[in-house]
Structures are given as structure tokens and as C-alpha cells.
């Protein structure tokens, strides 16, 4: 599906973009992959990392706040993956206007640039569990961003173009996850891993699964769907034990803007959510949405909620150690 296609990735120098580039050149033969971001040093590092793909890998310096630059970057592009965002909760809280400019205005600029493009056919925006019942500004801006990408399908007319969303929590091992935080303490010789709340749970998704979910959305979306992987949960205390057995785990108190559990699908969304073998899809609930449901799914029960707290699949200490070991070998 991605063979001989041109793909633009905003925020492409991050954890997702790096893994996506590695994955796509391993499994497909794209025409061109464009990394769009504002940090020239990270682009330099990434270009050196993937020297063997230099003929097909392009680097655009640009900000999603700049619609004109986005429009230029979208020229002759088939697929757009929107991964750029301000993601750090404290940074968004302290710099709210900047978060809005990037996460909301940036989403609007992507949509406008794509709608004005004659070539783009598919857009997938990366979302987060924090956009579900948001309690911090980052989550609030991502909720608005998700709504914008879903609503954008009302403006495509008769074009072969659609916008969809994929949602997951912190990817295991990514810069925003707890794993690097714990690992830094361990590497420094620390024997104490602080736990904000002993009840805390999280979903486990790795970068490979994140990339595969995006590719599924590119292949299957009709427009307006939100894709969520079926993934296991774990307790933060078990993760600490998996990384440093017999460690001290003082409870230090939940941080501002932090949730006890990750929620991917709310009870309200259950009315339009369908379950598939390896994922869920939340379909739009608008009068203008007239697409067919993707085959193979069944509607979830009313008031179904997909939370890391009420999950049916769990990872214990040994399971987590096995997964951490595979991550370290990758």
C-alpha cells in the first residue's frame, strides 16, 4: 500500500518518526518520505542514522504553525502523518498560548494545507489518552485537534481524501514514558523508584504497534474514525519491580495534571464504538457522516469503557521484564 507513495511526517524526528522510517523502509518501497520538523540538529542526526535511504528521505525545516511552509511540503504528497505536538504536560500548563498555537492552530494548518493540495489522499493524526476526559491543557488541546481532524471530512467533497485519528497512551520507552525516567535513576546507581500513586495503571504499547496502527488507519479508514489498539495494562508498581527488583518504592503523590488510569474509550463513545479482532474504532456521530462501517466489527455494549484499570489483559512483573529485554535488544 505504501509502495511508490510519498509520505509526509510532521514532527518526524521524534520516537515515532524514527521508528516509522525504519519500519517503512524495511517493509515497503516508498517513493519518498519527508520529515517535517523545526529542529535542524535532530534532522542532521536522523539523516546520518538513515544514510542508506538518503535518496528517498527528505528533510523539511518548518513549523506546523506555518501554513505556507506546510502547503509547500504537501506538494505531490500522497499521505500525511501528523505527529508534531507540544506533549509535555508542565510545559503546556506554563505556556498555554504556545500549546494552543502548535496543537490546535497547527492542526488547522495541516487540514487547510491538505484541503488545498491536489495530491494528498490520506491523513492520520496521532492522538493520546490525555485527550479523553482531559484534565490538563495538553489533553484539552489534543481533544480539540482530534475534533478538527474528524470534522475535516465534511469538507473533502467528492475527492478521494479522508482524515482519521489513532489514539494510544505513552509509548513504552518513548521520551514521555516512565521507563526512561526509572532507567535514568537505575543507571545513576539509585535504589529508589518513586511512585506517584500505588494504584496507578497504564496501557503498554510499543513503537512497532503504534506504527502498525497508523498503517492500518491509512489502509482502512473511510474518514473520521478513531483507531485504538487492543493492548495490555500494567501496574506502575509492577514496572518498578520489573526494572529494579527489591527496589524501594516511596509513594510521592500524584502530580498536577496526572491521571490514575489511562482511558481510551469513554462510556459516551461506546454508542458509536465497534470492536475488531485487534483494535477498536470509534465512528463519528454526525448527520453528515454517511460512510459504511468497516467490515468485521461488532458494536460494543452500551456504557463500555476502555480503561487501563478495567482491562482484561494484564502484564505481570515477569511479562514486563521480557518486554523490556526485547526493547533493549531492538
Amino acid at each position: 500500500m505504501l509502495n511508490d507513495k510519498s509520505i509526509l511526517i510532521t514532527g518526524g524526528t521524534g520516537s515515532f518518526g524514527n521508528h516509522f522510517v525504519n519500519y517503512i523502509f524495511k517493509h515497503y518501497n516508498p517513493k519518498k518520505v519527508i520529515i517535517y520538523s523545526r529542529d535542524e540538529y535532530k534532522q542532521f542526526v536522523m539523516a546520518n542514522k538513515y544514510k542508506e535511504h538518503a535518496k528517498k528521505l527528505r528533510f523539511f525545516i518548518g513549523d506546523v504553525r506555518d501554513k505556507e511552509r506546510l502547503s509547500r511540503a504537501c506538494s505531490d504528497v500522497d499521505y500525511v502523518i501528523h505527529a508534531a505536538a507540544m506533549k509535555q504536560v508542565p510545559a503546556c500548563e506554563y505556556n498555554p498560548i504556545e500549546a494552543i498555537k502548535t496543537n490546535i492552530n497547527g492542526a488547522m494548518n495541516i487540514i487547510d494545507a491538505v484541503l488545498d493540495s491536489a495530491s494528498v489522499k490520506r491523513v492520520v493524526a496521532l492522538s493520546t489518552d490525555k485527550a479523553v476526559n482531559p484534565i490538563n491543557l495538553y489533553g484539552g488541546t489534543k481533544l480539540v485537534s482530534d475534533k478538527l481532524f474528524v470534522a475535516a471530512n465534511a469538507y473533502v467533497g467528492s475527492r478521494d481524501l479522508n482524515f482519521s485519528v489513532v489514539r494510544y497512551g505513552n509509548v513504552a520507552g518513548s521520551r514521555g514514558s516512565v521507563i526512561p525516567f526509572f532507567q535514568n535513576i537505575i543507571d545513576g546507581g539509585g535504589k529508589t523508584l518513586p511512585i506517584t500513586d500505588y494504584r496507578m495503571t497504564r496501557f503498554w504499547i510499543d513503537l512497532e504497534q503504534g506504527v502498525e496502527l497508523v498503517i492500518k488507519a491509512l489502509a482502512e479508514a473511510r474518514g473520521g474514525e478513531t483507531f485504538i489498539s487492543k493492548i495490555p495494562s500494567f501496574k506502575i508498581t509492577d514496572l518498578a519491580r520489573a526494572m529494579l527488583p527489591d527496589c524501594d518504592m516511596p509513594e510521592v503523590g500524584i502530580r498536577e495534571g496526572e491521571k490514575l488510569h489511562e482511558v481510551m474509550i469513554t462510556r459516551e463513545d461506546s454508542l458509536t464504538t465497534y470492536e475488531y479482532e485487534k483494535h477498536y474504532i470509534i465512528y463519528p456521530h454526525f448527520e453528515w457522516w454517511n460512510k459504511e462501517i468497516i467490515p468485521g466489527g461488532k458494536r460494543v455494549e452500551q456504557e463500555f469503557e476502555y480503561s487501563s484499570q478495567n482491562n482484561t489483559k494484564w502484564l505481570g512483573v515477569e511479562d514486563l521484564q521480557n518486554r523490556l529485554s526485547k526493547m533493549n535488544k531492538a
Side-chain angles (χ1 to χ4, degrees), residues 69-114:
R69 184 62 172 163
L70 277 171
S71 295
R72 180 59 59 101
C74 284
S75 179
D76 293 325
V77 164
D78 298 291
Y79 302 143
V80 175
I81 300 168
H82 178 44
M86 279 185 63
K87 301 181 177 73
Q88 294 294 325
V89 170
C92 290
E93 294 295 324
Y94 190 69
N95 304 278
I97 302 302
E98 300 305 306
I100 290 167
K101 287 177 181 178
T102 296
N103 295 355
I104 296 178
N105 296 351
M108 292 171 61
N109 289 337
I110 296 267
I111 292 165
D112 285 339
V114 166

Side-chain angles (χ1 to χ4, degrees), residues 155-172:
Y155 299 90
V156 301
S158 59
R159 284 181 57 185
D160 178 20
L161 167 64
N162 69 56
F163 299 79
S164 61
V165 175
V166 298
R167 177 183 295 158
Y168 35 75
N170 282 328
V171 176

Side-chain angles (χ1 to χ4, degrees), residues 1 79 121-124 149-166 213-227 274 276 279 281-284 288-297:
M1 188 197 103
Y79 302 143
K121 295 179 175 60
R122 300 289 181 270
V123 179
V124 177
F149 279 104
V150 171
N153 290 280
Y155 299 90
V156 301
S158 59
R159 284 181 57 185
D160 178 20
L161 167 64
N162 69 56
F163 299 79
S164 61
V165 175
V166 298
L213 187 64
V214 168
I215 292 173
K216 176 174 282 293
L218 287 171
E220 298 183 4
R222 280 90 187 272
E225 301 93 339
T226 300
F227 291 74
Y274 282 69
Y276 294 80
H279 63 286
I281 296 179
I282 303 172
Y283 289 94
W288 54 262
W289 195 80
N290 58 1
K291 309 291 184 182
E292 293 183 2
I293 301 296
I294 296 171

Side-chain angles (χ1 to χ4, degrees), residues 79-319:
Y79 302 143
V80 175
I81 300 168
H82 178 44
M86 279 185 63
K87 301 181 177 73
Q88 294 294 325
V89 170
C92 290
E93 294 295 324
Y94 190 69
N95 304 278
I97 302 302
E98 300 305 306
I100 290 167
K101 287 177 181 178
T102 296
N103 295 355
I104 296 178
N105 296 351
M108 292 171 61
N109 289 337
I110 296 267
I111 292 165
D112 285 339
V114 166
L115 289 174
D116 292 339
S117 164
S119 61
V120 179
K121 295 179 175 60
R122 300 289 181 270
V123 179
V124 177
L126 273 58
S127 184
T128 167
D129 66 283
K130 294 175 180 65
V132 182
N133 294 334
I135 62 171
N136 53 55
L137 185 72
Y138 169 52
T141 59
K142 291 301 288 183
L143 170 63
V144 174
S145 174
D146 291 357
K147 296 288 187 182
L148 288 168
F149 279 104
V150 171
N153 290 280
Y155 299 90
V156 301
S158 59
R159 284 181 57 185
D160 178 20
L161 167 64
N162 69 56
F163 299 79
S164 61
V165 175
V166 298
R167 177 183 295 158
Y168 35 75
N170 282 328
V171 176
S174 67
R175 288 175 296 180
S177 75
V178 70
I179 294 173
F181 173 69
F182 282 169
Q183 192 61 52
N184 284 337
I185 295 174
I186 295 168
D187 291 343
K191 302 296 182 183
T192 299
L193 300 182
I195 308 294
T196 54
D197 193 295
Y198 292 145
R199 299 168 293 170
M200 186 170 288
T201 64
R202 289 293 182 263
F203 284 109
W204 178 285
I205 186 169
D206 58 35
L207 283 165
E208 188 98 344
Q209 291 172 301
V211 169
E212 289 173 348
L213 187 64
V214 168
I215 292 173
K216 176 174 282 293
L218 287 171
E220 298 183 4
R222 280 90 187 272
E225 301 93 339
T226 300
F227 291 74
I228 299 114
S229 287
K230 287 183 177 178
I231 45 181
S233 295
F234 65 92
K235 297 177 180 178
I236 295 295
T237 50
D238 283 345
L239 177 66
R241 292 188 183 100
M243 296 184 69
L244 187 62
D246 301 320
C247 65
D248 293 326
M249 294 186 295
E251 189 175 42
V252 297
I254 199 163
R255 296 174 296 176
E256 184 178 355
E258 190 174 34
K259 292 182 178 181
L260 275 178
H261 311 289
E262 291 182 335
V263 178
M264 299 287 194
I265 303 172
T266 66
R267 290 182 175 88
E268 290 74 22
D269 282 332
S270 68
L271 296 174
T272 56
T273 298
Y274 282 69
E275 180 180 4
Y276 294 80
E277 182 182 0
K278 296 183 178 180
H279 63 286
Y280 297 97
I281 296 179
I282 303 172
Y283 289 94
H285 192 197
F286 296 111
E287 290 183 1
W288 54 262
W289 195 80
N290 58 1
K291 309 291 184 182
E292 293 183 2
I293 301 296
I294 296 171
K298 63 177 182 179
R299 187 175 295 211
V300 301
E301 296 181 1
Q302 288 192 23
E303 297 196 11
F304 166 82
E305 181 183 70
Y306 190 40
S307 163
S308 60
Q309 180 187 24
N310 64 13
N311 203 353
T312 58
K313 292 180 63 179
W314 286 84
L315 300 175
V317 173
E318 187 176 343
D319 300 315

